[in-house]
Amino acid sequence: MIDLDNSEVYQRLDPAGMRERIGELPQQCLEAWQQVLSFKLPKGYSNIDRIIILGMGGSAIGGDLLNCLASLESETPISVCRDYDLPHFVDGKTLVIASSYSGMTEETLSSFSQALTTPAKKLAITTGGRLKDIAGQNDIPILTIDYKAPPRAALAHSFIPLVGIYQKLGIISDKSKDVAEMVQILKDQQSTIDDSCPLKLNAAKQLATRLYSHLAIIYGAGFLSAAARRWKTQINENSKAWAFYEIFPELNHNAVVGYEFPTDLAQMLFVVLLRSPHLHPRTLIRYKLTAEMLSNAKVSHEIIDAKGESPLSQMMSLVFLGDWTSYYLSLLNETDPYPVKIIDFLKKRLAEEK
Ligand code: F6R
């Protein structure tokens, strides 16, 4: 198996430097926070009673994370639209935020074009592309991302601006302290999970080693649901591996029944359970019982506890651990974590089909 403590491995398998991008997350969160604090929302944007975030993949997950955070305190319904068509419930009090790192994602451009024909307030988060052009032509405010990375590695710039915008709209409380705590937690965590920390002390390297040659299934709950989804998508895109996620308590009403068959599968699976003491007390009991059921079904698993106090720190500490774990798993799979050739190929083929 690949030696994760050998620096030659990193140069050989990660020539484009995904590990630098992942390691920059704490600093990027700070910079994105400072940027959004100085971003001025137009006056007419104060009267909002519903928010829709348009986006796909690495640009949509910021919306999910925000949704998890806001659901703990906000009365404003928020949804993430990952499709070509804008939902029908959009009206003049809806804020539609189109988030696309490249500004070229066709589903996002399609639903955003539909939003242009509605009285909804609009906002764009992007580096450029068609989204920037369309927003500019329609006098729609643009939060420009100035950070070069694959979209999924620019997470700070799709998620943190949303936190700032929601705070400005009064939908969530002031998160300045929570952002500061989160950045500190991530910085502290960094030295224990980055590539300089040896396998015997490194939880991310150890987890990747356990996940190697297994099908990863991630369990989350409540405000950790988006973190579970992020683990799944990072294992897909960085490690180039199959992965799925499930959410408590729903998974206790179906997924657990399926532990029996196919009988050969149990040895191939590895379940990661993302947990926080802030989850519903009954859900925490479900974690314990489900771990017992997994043991009985001879399915390898591990419970991972979130770090920090605030929900923001807890979510992001799990995201950070997942990002590093998926990174090491890509190296163990002897594959470059950076490119996503299949997505690029699909986008090219779709463009030819027009
Ligand atoms: C690639 C990635 C993808 C993209 C998705 C949408 O790193 O994460 O999931 O995010 O294909 O593209 P953008 O973000 O440019 O709208």
Side-chain angles (χ1 to χ4, degrees):
M1 201 198 286
I2 288 284
D3 176 6
L4 292 175
D5 290 341
N6 178 353
S7 60
E8 179 274 327
V9 167
Y10 295 85
Q11 278 138 31
R12 179 165 64 85
L13 291 172
D14 180 23
M18 177 60 95
R19 82 178 178 289
E20 278 89 19
R21 299 296 83 76
I22 293 176
E24 282 161 5
L25 183 69
Q27 185 58 25
Q28 288 309 313
C29 285
L30 203 58
E31 287 174 16
W33 183 242
Q34 280 151 4
Q35 184 191 5
V36 70
L37 287 185
S38 58
F39 180 75
K40 290 221 173 350
L41 274 173
K43 275 207 187 79
Y45 280 45
S46 53
N47 196 10
I48 300 289
D49 69 5
R50 191 188 293 275
I51 299 187
I52 303 177
I53 298 155
L54 315 176
M56 301 302 298
S59 293
I61 194 74
D64 294 326
L65 287 164
L66 198 278
N67 213 348
C68 284
L69 192 67
S71 66
L72 298 169
E73 58 178 290
S74 160
E75 289 166 12
T76 307
I78 298 161
S79 49
V80 180
C81 169
R82 290 177 160 89
D83 214 330
Y84 289 93
D85 291 322
L86 190 71
H88 292 292
F89 51 72
V90 170
D91 62 19
K93 287 187 167 184
T94 308
L95 173 61
V96 175
I97 305 177
S99 178
S100 169
Y101 180 89
S102 62
M104 295 301 283
T105 298
E106 65 174 46
E107 299 93 320
T108 312
L109 290 173
S110 163
S111 51
F112 187 58
S113 302
Q114 292 176 15
L116 296 179
T117 66
T118 72
K121 317 279 187 300
K122 291 136 209 130
L123 200 73
I125 302 177
T126 186
T127 56
R130 291 269 305 131
L131 180 57
K132 190 168 189 173
D133 291 345
I134 297 169
Q137 285 152 13
N138 289 277
D139 289 328
I140 292 167
I142 305 166
L143 235 154
T144 305
I145 303 174
D146 184 18
Y147 179 62
K148 219 170 151 22
R152 63 191 183 282
L155 175 69
H157 294 279
S158 63
F159 171 46
I160 297 296
L162 296 176
V163 179
I165 288 162
Y166 282 39
Q167 174 179 313
K168 281 172 194 268
L169 291 171
I171 291 170
I172 55 173
S173 57
D174 186 345
K175 291 283 174 271
S176 306
K177 270 198 191 134
D178 293 358
V179 170
E181 186 213 15
M182 171 197 65
V183 170
Q184 195 50 52
I185 294 279
L186 297 185
K187 283 184 175 167
D188 294 347
Q189 200 182 1
Q190 174 100 304
S191 58
T192 68
I193 53 174
D194 73 7
D195 53 299
S196 66
C197 180
L199 175 70
K200 62 178 187 304
L201 302 172
N202 189 319
K205 287 184 181 175
Q206 287 169 13
L207 197 51
T209 307
R210 296 193 71 195
L211 279 165
Y212 176 63
S213 268
H214 287 80
L215 170 58
I217 301 187
I218 317 300
Y219 285 180
F223 75 99
L224 300 182
S225 302
R229 185 177 195 142
R230 170 74 173 181
W231 274 66
K232 174 246 184 249
T233 58
Q234 288 290 80
I235 291 173
N236 294 149
E237 293 187 56
N238 288 343
S239 325
K240 318 292 186 269
W242 289 81
F244 299 93
Y245 77 104
E246 298 260 6
I247 301 301
F248 283 104
E250 175 66 15
L251 73 89
N252 274 174
H253 297 268
N254 33 65
V256 290
V257 189
Y259 287 176
E260 286 186 56
F261 300 107
T263 41
D264 290 347
L265 201 58
Q267 60 187 356
M268 289 287 299
L269 303 176
F270 192 98
V271 179
V272 179
L273 299 95
L274 306 180
R275 187 174 67 176
S276 155
H278 298 338
L279 291 172
H280 193 288
R282 301 291 296 167
T283 297
L284 291 174
I285 298 172
R286 289 176 182 275
Y287 271 74
K288 193 180 71 175
L289 297 179
T290 302
E292 278 173 30
M293 287 188 266
L294 287 167
S295 296
N296 294 339
K298 300 199 169 25
V299 173
S300 305
H301 57 279
E302 189 165 328
I303 297 182
I304 310 278
D305 286 307
K307 292 188 187 307
E309 257 315 301
S310 66
L312 183 62
S313 299
Q314 298 215 333
M315 285 160 46
M316 290 305 282
S317 70
L318 289 173
V319 164
F320 203 32
L321 178 67
D323 284 7
W324 277 108
T325 302
S326 67
Y327 175 76
Y328 297 126
L329 187 55
S330 77
L331 304 183
L332 294 176
N333 287 339
E334 297 196 56
T335 181
D336 185 340
Y338 208 95
V340 280
K341 288 186 191 142
I342 288 193
I343 299 178
D344 298 340
F345 167 76
L346 248 173
K347 287 183 178 177
K348 192 168 158 279
R349 285 299 310 276
L350 279 159
E352 286 164 9
E353 292 284 330
K354 266 174 196 160

